[in-house]
């Protein structure tokens, strides 16, 4: 199991399809070990797409969902889609290959997997993939020595961290203390 769970945001070339046979709930994604935000962890209504497609002979699992679409000339179906991607495994170019080969919507600006053609006209602003969220177990508060301190201070710590969207600490139902950090997307992601 990966100790640091990453979330990526990307823009893909096309109107990406969401087949019902690969659709899972937030709870199912969380049960797979993918870090789903607290605001969605109990929602049966939030739908994710599940890709379990081997890459180079090894298991490769990606969970993703579309966030927004924009019209864009020269894109597939004249549309680009903002997606959130959560890899469970970390294979070479996993997110890029899963989006291009399995979902048939390569990442915008991806010279290796975009298939050429009109996609070449969309490369001028670079690659649209950003690792913008990470979640990891707190290195001290989850240790035997840190657990005692956590139990004594957790109400104060949780109260201070709750309002800050860029860094926060939460406690899972099983008592695991998690640190969540988030950065803003590069400005080019909002230029559509």
């Amino acid at each position: 199991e990966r100790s640091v769970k990453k979330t990526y945001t990307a823009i893909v070339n096309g109107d990406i399809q969401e087949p019902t046979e690969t659709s899972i709930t937030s709870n199912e994604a969380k049960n797979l070990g993918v870090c789903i935000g607290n605001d969605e962890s109990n929602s049966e209504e939030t739908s994710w797409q599940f890709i379990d497609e081997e890459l180079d002979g090894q298991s490769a699992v990606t969970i993703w969902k579309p966030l927004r679409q924009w019209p864009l000339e020269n894109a597939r179906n004249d549309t680009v889609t903002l997606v959130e991607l959560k890899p469970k495994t970390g294979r070479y170019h996993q997110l890029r290959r899963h989006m291009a080969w399995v979902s048939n919507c390569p990442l915008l600006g991806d010279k290796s997997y975009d298939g050429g053609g009109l996609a070449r006209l969309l490369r001028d602003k670079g690659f649209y993939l950003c690792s913008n969220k990470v979640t990891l177990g707190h290195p001290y508060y989850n240790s035997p020595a840190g657990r005692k301190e956590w139990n004594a201070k957790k109400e104060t710590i949780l109260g201070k961290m709750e309002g800050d969207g860029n860094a926060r600490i939460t406690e899972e139902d099983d008592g695991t203390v998690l640190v969540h950090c988030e950065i803003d997307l590069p400005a080019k992601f909002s230029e559509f």
Side-chain angles (χ1 to χ4, degrees), residues 11 68 70-72 80 124-125 128 186-192:
I11 297 179
R68 186 172 173 201
W70 295 277
L72 183 64
V80 293
D124 61 332
K125 294 196 178 178
Y128 283 81
K188 70 180 186 178
F189 276 74
S190 60
E191 291 176 355
F192 292 95

Side-chain angles (χ1 to χ4, degrees), residues 3-29:
S3 60
V4 176
K5 299 184 180 182
K6 300 174 187 172
T7 299
Y8 294 79
T9 303
I11 297 179
V12 297
N13 184 356
D15 179 8
I16 196 163
Q17 300 302 302
E18 297 179 78
T20 55
E21 60 271 10
T22 59
S23 182
I24 62 172
T25 66
S26 289
N27 284 337
E28 290 170 317

Side-chain angles (χ1 to χ4, degrees), residues 51 53 55 60 62 94-103:
I51 298 174
E53 184 80 20
L55 295 173
T62 301
Q94 175 178 320
L95 301 176
R96 297 167 68 184
R97 296 194 290 175
H98 273 171
M99 290 294 99
W101 297 347
V102 179
S103 297

Side-chain angles (χ1 to χ4, degrees), residues 39-192:
D39 57 327
E40 300 175 302
S41 61
N42 295 318
S43 173
E44 285 295 322
E45 295 176 19
T46 302
S47 179
W48 291 82
Q49 288 294 306
F50 175 71
I51 298 174
D52 184 0
E53 184 80 20
E54 275 192 12
L55 295 173
D56 303 322
Q58 294 184 308
S59 172
V61 175
T62 301
I63 308 296
W64 67 272
K65 70 177 179 179
L67 301 173
R68 186 172 173 201
Q69 290 187 328
W70 295 277
L72 183 64
E73 189 177 349
N74 296 322
R76 291 182 184 179
N77 308 95
D78 291 322
T79 303
V80 293
T81 305
L82 182 72
V83 295
E84 185 172 308
L85 303 156
K86 295 179 178 278
K88 179 171 172 45
T89 53
R91 306 293 175 232
Y92 180 74
H93 290 183
Q94 175 178 320
L95 301 176
R96 297 167 68 184
R97 296 194 290 175
H98 273 171
M99 290 294 99
W101 297 347
V102 179
S103 297
N104 198 30
C105 284
L107 302 184
L108 203 61
D110 189 342
K111 295 176 184 179
S112 297
Y113 302 104
D114 70 8
L118 287 177
R120 290 182 316 216
L121 302 174
L122 303 173
R123 294 178 182 168
D124 61 332
K125 294 196 178 178
F127 196 51
Y128 283 81
L129 176 67
C130 179
S131 174
N132 60 314
K133 298 176 191 175
V134 294
T135 299
L136 61 139
H138 194 284
Y140 178 66
Y141 290 141
N142 288 318
S143 70
R147 179 55 58 184
K148 188 183 264 187
E149 185 177 334
W150 171 255
N151 288 333
K153 295 181 176 181
K154 75 177 172 181
E155 296 305 320
T156 303
I157 293 169
L158 289 172
K160 284 182 183 176
M161 298 294 284
E162 193 142 316
D164 186 355
N166 292 327
R168 60 189 169 87
I169 295 177
T170 61
E171 184 176 31
E172 295 286 280
D173 293 338
D174 67 1
T176 303
V177 181
L178 298 176
V179 178
H180 309 267
C181 297
E182 182 175 347
I183 61 168
D184 292 333
L185 290 172
K188 70 180 186 178
F189 276 74
S190 60
E191 291 176 355
F192 292 95

